Amino acid sequence: QVQLVESGGGLVQAGGSLRLSCAASGSIFSINPMAWYRQAPGKQRELVARILNGGVTNYADSVKGRFTISRDGAKNTVYLQMNSLKPEDTAVYYCAFQASRTFWGQGTQVTVSS
């Protein structure tokens, strides 16, 4: 079965950067989309960034121009480079593999202090 493990979260000051990684194992195919979501306390889980077959990407308006999603198919790993972080970016970040159903990692905490 598919397993996803996120890493790279932590505490950073506003304006700083973090790079999240999601290592996937199991029946992973590069043709399937992968994505990053985040969930802040008391809020719904929201899509942050998504990468499709062929490398097409899309981003939430709130992170556009600051975050970059990338994918290494050979390593079954997806990355999220986060620059110019803001306190409102504070959340648990989850990677997702979208096949017949969505597979989720356990999440990594990102905390941005002001």
Side-chain angles (χ1 to χ4, degrees):
Q1 62 179 343
V2 174
Q3 294 188 53
L4 305 172
V5 180
E6 301 97 336
S7 62
L11 175 64
V12 64
Q13 288 189 315
S17 297
L18 287 172
R19 185 176 180 88
L20 306 183
S21 298
C22 175
S25 62
S27 300
I28 303 298
F29 301 95
S30 62
I31 193 171
N32 292 101
M34 293 191 73
W36 286 96
Y37 289 75
R38 67 186 181 188
Q39 188 166 23
K43 299 184 68 176
Q44 296 285 106
R45 187 173 298 187
E46 64 173 342
L47 176 68
V48 176
R50 188 168 176 236
I51 186 164
L52 309 178
N53 179 42
V56 174
T57 59
N58 53 56
Y59 299 91
D61 288 343
S62 59
V63 308
K64 195 172 298 180
R66 300 188 296 120
F67 291 11
T68 303
I69 187 170
S70 61
R71 184 175 185 170
D72 185 338
K75 297 169 66 174
N76 287 331
T77 302
V78 64
Y79 304 93
L80 185 68
Q81 178 67 46
M82 306 186 295
N83 298 326
S84 302
L85 283 161
K86 304 174 180 179
E88 50 263 46
D89 295 318
T90 295
V92 177
Y93 284 71
Y94 301 88
C95 67
F97 173 68
Q98 298 176 331
S100 58
R101 72 171 182 89
T102 299
F103 295 86
W104 299 95
Q106 293 302 303
T108 185
Q109 176 71 47
V110 172
T111 302
V112 184
S113 65
S114 57

